[in-house]
Amino acid sequence: MTLHDRLNIRTITETDLLWLDTASQAVGGPMVVSLGTPHRLSDYPTFIAERGSTPVGFATFRIAGLEAELLALAATEQWQGTGSTLLAAVETEVVQAGCRQLMLCTTNDNTDALRFYQRRGYHFKALNAGAFAEVRRIKGITGEVVGQHQIVIRDELVLAKHFTV
Ligand SMILES: CC(C)(COP(=O)(O)OP(=O)(O)OC[C@H]1O[C@@H](n2cnc3c(N)ncnc32)[C@H](O)[C@@H]1OP(=O)(O)O)[C@@H](O)C(=O)NCCC(=O)NCCS
């Protein structure tokens, strides 16, 4: 695989599940908790980005009526356009399904993601201060978790993008 190989987006298959398990460590593991609800990523639609035949990122989302939620987005090769391409694919998919909004949750430490999403039209909807305590309880994590940039993870931030039809 080289960066000259074209980035291709496809839907997940059974054979990707082992890879997804490992790749999901970038978002805290195969089970994500958003707004106090646990979601197992393998239960939801997922797009895989691949370069050549090598998976280099994934995006998992769920559709609930007029709203959709991006449950996870990760690129194993950062800053090469993978996250942007995956996010655009999810947006196209949910708009085609009739959704008017795509929301997502991230954490206070993830300043790279906060920059990334705001640059792509996502606005802050809510700050759930201290919400990570409940995530730790659900996941059985004892003690503080130090996230990106050596920041202790405490809070959940909700962002959303609206689509006009
Ligand atoms: C956040 C994430 C999904 C972004 O995906 P990506 O493939 O790295 O992003 P892209 O390459 O498409 O775009 C990155 C942007 O950062 C810029 N960038 C380049 N190098 C950078 C660097 N060293 N640091 C920060 N930004 C950088 C790019 O130029 C681009 O800028 P733009 O927003 O002005 O267009 C990815 O970094 C990731 O997997 N992070 C870990 C998992 C995670 O936190 N997921 C989100 C949880 S909700």
Side-chain angles (χ1 to χ4, degrees):
M1 178 198 67
T2 73
L3 287 176
H4 297 297
D5 286 328
R6 198 172 150 268
L7 194 63
N8 179 45
I9 305 292
R10 61 170 173 80
T11 52
I12 194 166
T13 65
E14 282 284 321
T15 54
D16 296 305
L17 291 176
L18 206 59
W19 176 86
L20 180 67
D21 239 34
T22 308
S24 66
Q25 295 311 316
V27 293
M31 196 213 4
V32 300
V33 179
S34 75
L35 304 175
T37 303
H39 300 279
R40 200 169 44 184
L41 295 179
S42 55
D43 291 341
Y44 294 97
T46 294
F47 287 145
I48 301 284
E50 61 184 5
R51 223 178 260 288
S53 56
T54 306
V56 291
F58 74 94
T60 304
F61 59 99
R62 67 184 187 98
I63 292 176
L66 296 178
E67 300 202 347
E69 177 176 6
L70 183 68
L71 290 168
L73 172 69
T76 59
E77 39 154 46
Q78 279 188 302
W79 322 130
Q80 306 295 335
T82 305
S84 303
T85 307
L86 280 163
L87 185 61
V90 172
E91 289 178 356
T92 300
E93 184 75 10
V94 303
V95 167
Q96 277 174 3
C99 296
R100 305 278 168 79
Q101 173 179 282
L102 179 60
M103 62 79 73
L104 63 97
C105 297
T106 188
T107 43
N108 60 292
D109 61 307
N110 205 341
T111 54
D112 288 341
L114 292 170
R115 172 191 181 282
F116 173 83
Y117 290 121
Q118 288 184 86
R119 289 269 297 138
R120 283 154 185 79
Y122 289 76
H123 296 189
F124 287 100
K125 292 265 288 185
L127 160 64
N128 299 324
F132 199 70
E134 176 64 1
V135 177
R136 289 200 339 241
R137 193 193 63 74
I138 291 170
K139 291 189 164 190
I141 301 169
T142 50
E144 284 187 331
V145 178
V146 178
Q148 296 188 20
H149 311 291
Q150 298 301 305
I151 300 171
V152 174
I153 308 179
R154 300 181 200 283
D155 313 312
E156 178 181 63
L157 290 128
V158 185
L159 292 97
K161 181 170 178 175
H162 293 270
F163 305 103
T164 47
V165 281

